[in-house]
Amino acid sequence: VLLICGSLQTKSSNRALLEVVRSRLVGGATRVEELTNLAHIPPFNPEHQENGGPAVAELRDRIARNNAVVISSPEYAAGIPGALKNALDWIVGSGELYGKPVALLSAGTTGGHYARDQLIRSLTWQGAHIFAQLGVAAPRTKSDRGGRIVDPITVGAINDLTDVILRIGQLPPDDRLKLVEQITGAAGVEPGHIAPVPDT
Ligand SMILES: Cc1cc2nc3c(=O)[nH]c(=O)nc-3n(C[C@H](O)[C@H](O)[C@H](O)COP(=O)(O)O)c2cc1C
């Protein structure tokens, strides 16, 4: 599972959400890794699609070699951070997210409703299967002094989302698509944009 934090801040509530995901997964058979070079990905230029440099190559490689991706993103002015959108633009053409299961989290003042809707639309248009999503409003009220998420309801909800990640690869294609359709439908994304489940 690849974790991607859309915030570049060192003390990030979105990274804190991803740490709950990581804690749920460590100790099991699942390998977890985190993308750490978001700030080093150059501005997207379609002319350089074939050779975007080492940071883009790493992004593409990490997405390709993981079976699922979890993105936790803040919301900035009712949208996603530019650094995250920029990174995602680099993989529209190369297609590493096509048919890939992706779970979305957003921690922030409001729980990032607009950020999640933007991600659901944009990622679905590039073929990703958004099968789970969760917003966490006012994350500081759910954290301890060190920034760790400790609110039991929030931890429980993230654990539930993480458990779906573990099952997603084994779900029959129709069941996976039902999860995806629920989320895309609620976000107003046209079903024709949903990619088919890839053959395993
Ligand atoms: C420039 C800026 C714009 C923001 N806009 C929104 C917003 O539109 N909606 C919202 O819920 N929170 C907004 N916030 C608050 C962020 O959600 C909050 O700072 C969040 O904790 C950032 O995530 P992080 O802790 O992972 O960096 C904004 C914060 C900044 C710095």
Side-chain angles (χ1 to χ4, degrees):
V1 173
L2 176 66
L3 309 179
I4 299 179
C5 181
S7 173
L8 303 181
Q9 295 201 83
T10 319
K11 281 188 180 174
S12 156
S13 49
N14 283 282
R15 192 163 292 105
L17 299 191
L18 292 174
E19 286 311 315
V20 179
V21 174
R22 190 197 297 274
S23 308
R24 186 72 168 179
L25 292 174
V26 291
T30 305
R31 190 172 49 80
V32 187
E33 57 181 50
E34 183 174 347
L35 186 83
T36 52
N37 72 349
L38 195 64
H40 303 291
I41 295 173
F44 174 62
N45 182 340
E47 286 171 3
H48 301 151
Q49 291 230 58
E50 303 304 319
N51 187 5
V56 173
E58 183 184 335
L59 171 72
R60 288 173 170 163
D61 182 50
R62 281 182 182 265
I63 293 173
R65 73 179 184 221
N66 279 280
N67 293 332
V69 179
V70 185
I71 298 176
S72 190
S73 174
E75 178 174 291
Y76 292 157
I80 62 171
L84 178 60
K85 181 69 169 77
N86 178 57
L88 297 176
D89 287 346
W90 278 105
I91 43 183
V92 175
S94 50
E96 285 79 8
L97 278 171
Y98 196 82
K100 184 82 65 179
V102 177
L104 298 179
L105 295 164
S106 182
T109 313
T110 62
H113 176 82
Y114 295 112
R116 281 179 286 129
D117 269 7
Q118 185 187 352
L119 280 168
I120 292 165
R121 178 173 297 277
S122 190
L123 287 166
T124 302
W125 279 46
Q126 54 181 286
H129 284 156
I130 315 297
F131 64 91
Q133 61 143 338
L134 179 70
V136 177
R140 290 216 183 112
T141 65
K142 290 150 186 167
S143 310
D144 66 12
R145 285 184 173 182
R148 275 182 301 270
I149 303 288
V150 288
D151 170 57
I153 293 176
T154 308
V155 171
I158 300 171
N159 284 345
D160 287 349
L161 176 142
T162 307
D163 292 346
V164 184
I165 301 171
L166 293 173
R167 292 199 304 272
I168 195 73
Q170 281 76 51
L171 280 186
D174 284 354
D175 291 357
R176 188 207 280 205
L177 288 175
K178 266 184 211 145
L179 291 178
V180 173
E181 282 162 9
Q182 274 171 13
I183 288 177
T184 51
V189 180
E190 308 71 21
H193 287 289
I194 299 172
V197 176
D199 295 332
T200 45

